[in-house]
Amino acid sequence: MGKSLSLQLRYWSASELGRQRADELRRVLGVACFSVGSEQALAALDIPQAYIHVPPLIPGPALCEAWVTDPPLRQGVHGKLRYCCSESILFGVLTTVENASTTRPGDLSPGFACVVERMYSDIFDALDVLGFPHLWRVWNHVPDINRESDGLERYRQFNIGRQDAFKAHGRSTVGVSVPAASTVGLASNAPLVVHFIAACQPATAIENPRQISAYHYPELYGPRSPTFSRATLAEVGGHPVLFVSGTASIVGHQTQHAGNVVAQARETLRNIESILDQVRRHGEAYARPSDLLYKVYVRYPQDRSAVAAELRRSVGDQVQAVYLQADICRRNLLVEIEATALYADMVSTC
Ligand code: 3EB
């Protein structure tokens, strides 16, 4: 047996997760389940579960992504937040079903921006009270992300609500404390799901010199810039943990290779390599592409195999990746790739 690891990522089918032994389940901080229909199989588990309604790319059982850490863990509910925490890290999930009552009279911003602002405010309120104020990594799943409503694309409204909530809670929207994130789109009938990892200790945000920081994107992309960093580097139990944000074929602030998914995948992987260069500058000498666990979002299911071939070509045949269908936040983007590195057997140098 190896040394006990501080933070791990496991992929199980819903039924495998349901069949895990009690001592394994005691180590699960939270899960993100991709595709609908697994809710019932897992309803009995006392673990925060994010149900992301993405259509499966490969027919088969629902895929569950489980974050595993060292017990003792404590589950709870705070307002609309369902969470589970160890002594140092917290996994949380919020799910909002939009309906007539999610828009309130007196809201100044467009309706969806207000929904997002309330959701992020709920997160910040809870994190401050629970004592895990540092947001490390956020996954946002936004129904109908590219549709216009109230005269503004919903992703642009999302950015208004998110940034306003950061500001209202005294949080910086630029610089080293900004979390890593992915924001992808779901079908219009899906709920809005946000899940995240937060902690007692801060992480360090890392930017990519090939790209303008997203929080400095010009107004061309919406009235408020997105609030995320290109990556965050943190530490759990003395081991470095690297969260690479959803990364796309963007250089500077402009989309490259519109209409060409293979070229977009290549550009995206160059961006990830460039982020890893920056991580090495922060003293983490071991950040190589093959250290990462990848999650690939493709807008069109038929592009999966071409992107997979590109990832294998770039990272190697042993590359560990999961593929999901999702809309990407700019209409001309066809693929987005995020990644996580858990340096379980390495001692942190940061
Ligand atoms: C980009 O680089 C591509 O708004 O939270 C990637 C990751 C993207 C996160 C977000 C958006 C977000 O702008 C899109």
Side-chain angles (χ1 to χ4, degrees):
M1 283 285 285
K3 193 171 162 215
S4 104
L5 310 178
S6 295
L7 185 62
Q8 293 168 282
L9 196 46
R10 298 272 175 79
Y11 287 96
W12 287 311
S13 70
S15 57
E16 280 169 342
L17 172 59
R19 287 198 310 267
Q20 292 300 308
R21 288 173 14 196
D23 58 341
E24 186 66 29
L25 292 175
R26 261 204 309 279
R27 299 164 44 80
V28 179
L29 259 184
V31 293
C33 299
F34 303 102
S35 97
V36 243
S38 43
E39 286 92 335
Q40 218 142 35
L42 303 176
L45 296 183
D46 193 20
I47 296 170
Q49 297 160 37
Y51 287 100
I52 324 291
H53 294 222
V54 297
L57 276 176
I58 300 170
L63 178 69
C64 295
E65 176 185 73
W67 291 95
V68 174
T69 191
D70 304 312
L73 306 183
R74 182 167 57 81
Q75 281 95 16
V77 175
H78 189 281
K80 297 193 179 71
L81 176 73
R82 177 91 165 77
Y83 68 90
C84 177
C85 57
S86 69
E87 63 178 26
S88 61
I89 47 177
L90 180 145
F91 175 99
V93 55
L94 290 93
T95 302
T96 300
V97 176
E98 292 170 70
N99 55 38
S101 71
T102 50
T103 302
R104 296 179 195 166
D107 281 347
L108 294 177
S109 297
F112 185 60
C114 294
V115 170
V116 173
E117 184 179 357
R118 283 194 279 271
M119 212 165 172
Y120 267 82
S121 287
D122 289 345
I123 293 173
F124 294 142
D125 284 339
L127 293 184
D128 289 342
V129 169
L130 295 169
F132 295 82
H134 303 285
L135 205 44
W136 284 0
R137 205 325 173 184
V138 190
W139 291 265
N140 304 290
H141 303 91
V142 178
D144 238 349
I145 194 167
N146 298 133
R147 185 169 61 85
E148 215 171 89
S149 70
D150 298 329
L152 192 63
E153 188 192 34
R154 281 161 58 88
Y155 175 59
R156 296 177 180 208
Q157 293 193 44
F158 177 87
N159 283 323
I160 295 175
R162 175 170 56 179
Q163 196 188 93
D164 285 354
F166 270 76
K167 292 206 164 118
H169 289 260
R171 289 170 176 255
S172 178
T173 56
V174 301
V176 287
S177 68
V178 174
S182 298
T183 302
V184 297
L186 308 175
S188 53
N189 57 350
L192 167 65
V193 184
V194 175
H195 71 280
F196 61 85
I197 293 175
C200 305
Q201 296 297 321
T204 304
I206 289 166
E207 292 300 304
N208 176 2
R210 300 184 85 232
Q211 300 184 298
I212 289 178
S213 293
Y215 46 72
H216 288 143
Y217 280 171
E219 256 192 79
L220 180 65
Y221 303 99
R224 299 271 210 299
S225 301
T227 309
F228 71 96
S229 58
R230 299 300 178 185
T232 49
L233 184 57
E235 207 183 280
V236 178
H239 302 295
V241 176
L242 174 68
F243 298 103
V244 177
S245 289
T247 304
S249 177
I250 295 172
V251 177
H253 58 76
Q254 282 168 327
T255 299
Q256 310 291 308
H257 321 295
N260 182 343
V261 74
V262 169
Q264 287 199 7
R266 261 182 218 167
E267 198 71 65
T268 300
L269 292 166
R270 277 195 284 274
N271 277 329
I272 292 177
E273 280 181 30
S274 171
I275 292 167
L276 294 182
D277 285 341
Q278 296 304 303
V279 173
R280 282 188 284 268
R281 285 167 189 257
H282 276 77
E284 180 44 72
Y286 300 98
R288 290 159 301 176
S290 56
D291 292 332
L292 302 181
L293 306 171
Y294 293 85
K295 193 191 292 166
V296 180
Y297 304 94
V298 289
R299 187 184 285 275
Y300 301 114
Q302 62 268 27
D303 288 341
R304 189 197 75 95
S305 59
V307 173
E310 208 45 50
L311 190 59
R312 281 195 303 272
R313 199 188 62 81
S314 162
V315 183
D317 284 335
Q318 304 304 311
V319 62
Q320 300 189 68
V322 300
Y323 293 87
L324 302 173
Q325 190 280 319
D327 293 339
I328 317 297
C329 60
R330 290 186 190 178
R331 283 172 198 271
N332 54 14
L333 289 172
L334 299 169
V335 58
E336 180 172 314
I337 303 177
E338 63 176 55
T340 306
L342 304 164
Y343 300 94
D345 297 320
M346 297 171 198
V347 175
S348 173
T349 56
C350 58

